[in-house]
Amino acid sequence: MTTQTKKQTQMKQEMYRRAVVESFIKLNPRWMVRNPVMFVVEVGSVLTTILWIQAVFGQGEAPTGFIGAIALWLWFTVLFANFSEAVAEGRGKAQAESLRKARQDTPAKKVSSKVETFDANAKHEIDSSTALRKDDLYLVVAGDILPADGEIVAGIASVDESAVTGESAPVVREAGGDRSAVTGGTRLLSDWLIVKVSADPGHGFLDRMISMVEGAKRQKTPNEIALNILLAGFTIIFLVVCATLLPFSMYSGGAITITVLVALLVCLIPTTIGGLLSAIGIAGMDRMIQRNVIAMSGRAVEAAGDVDVLLLDKTGTITLGNRQAVEFIPVNGINAQELAEAAQLASLADETPEGRSIVVLAKEKFGLRGQTMEKMHFVPFTAQTRMSGVNFNGTSIRKGAPDTMIELIQSNGGTTASDLKPTVDSIARTGGTPLVVTRDNQALGVIHLKDIVKGGMKERFAHLRKMGIKTVMITGDNPLTAAAIAAEAGVDDFLAQATPEAKLKLIREYQTGGRLVAMTGDGTNDAPALAQADVAVAMNTGTQPAREAANMVDLDSNPTKLIEIVEIGKQLLMTRGSLTTFSLANDVAKYFAIIPAAFAATYPQLQALNFMKLATPESAILSAVIFNALIIIALIPLALRGVPYRAVGAAQLLRDNLLIYGLGGLLVPFIGIKLIDMLLVVFGLV
Amino acid sequence: MNIYDWLQILFYLTVLFALVKPLGGYMARVYQNERVILDPILGPVERFVYRASGIDSKAEMNWKTYAVAMLLFNAIGLLAVYFLQRMQVFLPLNPQGFGAVTPDSSWNTATSFVTNTNWQGYGGETTMSYLTQMLAMTVQNFVSAATGMAVLIALIRGIIRHNTKEVGNFWVDLTRNTLYILVPLALVLALALVSQGVVQTFNESQTVSALQSGGQTIAVGPAASQIAIKQLGTNGGGFFNTNSAHPLENATPFSNFLEMLALLLISAALCYTYGKMIGDTRQGWSLLIAMTIVFVSLLGVTVWSEKTANPAIEALGVVGGNMEGKEVRFGIVNSALWATATTSVSNGAVNSMLDSYMPLGGLVPMWLMQLGEIIFGGVGSGLYGMLAFVIIAVFVAGLMVGRTPEYLGKKIEAYEMKMASLIILIPVIVTLVGTSIALMSEAGRATIFNPSAHGYSEVLYAFSSTAANNGSAFAGLGANNPFYNTALGLAMLIVRFWLAVPVLAIAGALANKKKTPVSGGTLPTHTPLFIGWLIGVIVIVGALSYLPALALGPIVEHLMIFK
């Protein structure tokens, strides 16, 4: 065994030890009353314990051992339920612990806002991180721990965010743009930053994260509340069923004992789901955390399961971040190699991914090596000229968007080749981006730049379609380009030339139509749309406004993670539904165990219903109670892991889950109760 | 069972199903204010009713106003029925000169008829004047049925509509239900029954000379008109004490067939109306199929149980099943069919004595009522009760497919669950607690005429029947006394309105929601799988709630007889 796994085992043991302690602490009625089902069990345990004490003093309504055994197992039932919750919480607590370490008080280099030049030497005074307030400025230099969340005002630096994300590769953060947010507790590896604090102490991102994973602020989610109402409804029904059984049995000529009534009640009320409900909710949040997604509320996790429209940014999500050159198409009788050569020369100094891809393509297709000639004078791209290129030996090569280039040629008195325009159009029609290359005011041809759809996207979208989720691609491209990429990627719809307003409008339209919309975003201009969306996932690399507007933050900044988030949400609901079905289906077998036993004295004829052939009335009732307690323990792993979700239609999911948890729930207790009964007999306990 | 038994049942169901679509479609048109064939005749009447009572038929109500109007109307009805009984001695059309009905019986009968239960603690022909029968009983037979249908229509509107608070106008729904649906159907059926010899007269009781010693008094009266609506409106309150076992209330096999048909007719057709109104008839059909499957299965149990002779009687050499308490005119199958049908809808009319059924034969009617009268169920109330079960079934199934549950595009959330839980909870509480009180009290035990398990079944049956607004009686229990009149009256009142009001609350909540469009992730609610699941939920909830109670009654009785 390696030390690593040894340490893990130790941590696990420690976690379970703490969970056991927690299970007892949670017996506090004020805590238990939050869960009506288990509260009833606790009251039953107290009642039977009192009856047992009475029996010890010779006033028992039934054999002392029997009452004692029932009381004991009822306590176990409560403890097992508490244990499941404690284990679920424990996993979050361990995570919170390591986060909290990152949040220790750190010295902060507070900078006055009156300082005129922002640089590494800006005047500052040393203060504690707890003294920093919103809108304060602080300076960090390489090696410092960032004292608080904030927005970078000046500087660029690499940051080690592993304390938060668990990802060891450093990330670059810089002022302006979409990567300007930093998190307190992370460490600066190089350079310097001046940061404006965005949250008061105790309200930072890390603090929120800690309280979320700890479950301290966990409130019941809407669906959990609805399910709780249903479970409370069943509990009341069974309470009435059992309570009225006392007068019924008295009339029939033999009062049933309170112990048996309590045992019957606990077996009937949905303790399996009631005991595990809380653990299921916590585990759902936990599964998000394991995938490095921090949900700001349980409500958001639940809503994720309901999403029916996914808005996905084209760039970075559906396509690789950048367009790439895929073809050189010469015009006017020029040969392709000549075009490639010119294109390569024009792009040598172009450090954009597009520019580099041109150099690479020329090398791949024509074996051209990028050679630097003397006296080469590169002309960089500017917003005014909207083209780039190179001048050497009196030759000038330029590349740029078609309309710019055509205008250039014409303004210099040249004419464009007749086949230029059709070539440009045909590329645009297929969704590509044409770049025209000229040499000395003569068009040589067109470079075909193309968005490259990420591998496996088509399958993922088909997968989503099966789940009943519509995918919409959001892009700033023109509709023609957008349509082509949408078709290639296999999304259901697209929004072209998207502006923040257009995005917001689209979300609202879907919502008015009754749909639930999920989206990812990172930029500040995404913030309004994120705030409007039902499930909004901000990239951790995103800006502060984006992270504030979202209800989840993805620490990996992986936009395709939305799909997993939806699955986790669905799993959460499925686990609740399946265990509810299981819990209620269980009752049938318990009736067949307990009813004949309970009235064995009054109506021995009812033994005909005891087709499990349980040994004695006592063993029958005890077996049912023991089964009822053990099934909670047995199902804890399932509650924590969640019922697996597969992307098949709703009808098939229902059929499968009904078969497993409905039919299984009917049959399993018959087997379980019989086995326990046999064991009780074998060990001579009854 | 022989082939003729099966054929009779098959014929009955075929005719019933053949009528579902035409009648259901007609009712949908009535509710949607579309043109119907009776417009030229009834249009002026309807407009006159609105003018005379100052109703703005275009005004819509939110659910609370609707509920208040419904409660108010029924409260006035309650008082009217009560005082008509108390004052009948001073009122006309009382040829027998019957005195005032006792206060407790009047209360019981008033709640009974207002709640569409029609539990009868009294003997009609020996207690009630013709005026009371017609003005109190028959009128309530119409309007209590119309009330149930109105509440259902409000719920359907809640499902159809979105982003609104309005669920319709109670007065308009009440008027149109009565005028366009119940009156025409009752008229046709009454005439058909009269043709078979069911009595309809204002004459006093007739004395005829019998073959054996002396004369016999034969009660008559305006029976056919009341019987028609008693069957159609799932009322069940007979004109005569022996109900439809009486030859003047149910004269021939054909009148028996018509009366049985009328039992399920409107409740079954409303399923189609529902599908039509929500724009997806498959939804309506699947509910009807679910109901039919449960009905036919339980019918099978009753028929099988009654065809099996009691071993004790068989030992005496009597063969041919259990004929005790059954009319020879109708035989076992038609008696069992009637008993199953009358308890599946909340009717309660009888053509044979259920107390004499075999234990399991008696268990079926009792359990059908305990399920909450949702297998067809009362007119309107049956379907709205069923929809409460659908909401629960959809909730759990919806979770199992990984979505916040939704039914027909409406999300099922905490509020709907609260109301749906109430709808399922209240009848169970009233039945079981009521039975307990009766068994524990001196007054309750005093009039139980049979010992042990059977006597217990009789009390359980009485509360199951009243707490399901059915009105069917097991007999063997003296219920016309202050204790049972008061307790059963309370049971009827609580269950009727504590169910109707939550239903209206659901209607209001659903109407206010937006509609989620269907997608691949939506749980389909018209598939065989969902039908099976719905049946499973109904049966499991029904079984779990009542198995212990039934074990001490009919089940142990059965086990005692068949050792």
Side-chain angles (χ1 to χ4, degrees), chain A residues 45-63:
Chain A
S45 317
V46 173
L47 199 63
T48 45
T49 309
I50 294 172
L51 287 171
W52 173 71
I53 295 170
Q54 216 178 25
V56 169
F57 289 102
Q59 302 285 314
E61 56 166 12

Side-chain angles (χ1 to χ4, degrees), chain A residues 223 230 233 237 241 244 248 305-306 308 467-468 511 513-514 570 573-574 577 581 587 591 603 605 650-651 654 657-658, chain B residues 396 399-404 417 425 436 456 514-517 519-523 529 533 544-545 548 556 559-560:
Chain A
N223 174 265
L230 179 69
I237 289 185
V241 167
T244 53
F248 292 176
D306 289 352
D308 25 29
M467 287 161 74
Q511 285 174 334
K570 284 192 178 295
L573 297 177
M574 280 169 52
T581 309
D587 284 2
Y591 263 139
Y603 291 127
Q605 294 89 346
L654 178 64
N657 284 331
L658 270 183
Chain B
V396 181
L399 287 182
M400 272 194 280
V401 302
R403 269 171 85 99
T404 300
M417 282 318 286
L425 200 66
S436 303
Y456 162 84
K514 50 187 183 184
K515 216 175 176 89
T516 314
S519 76
T522 312
L523 172 80
L529 181 70
W533 166 243
L544 293 183
S545 308
V556 76
L559 293 171
M560 283 167 162

Side-chain angles (χ1 to χ4, degrees), chain A residues 318-326 450-455 488:
Chain A
I318 296 171
T319 61
L320 295 171
N322 308 292
R323 286 166 296 194
Q324 294 186 350
V326 289
K450 201 177 159 195
D451 265 314
I452 307 295
V453 174
K454 285 183 179 173
E488 193 184 336

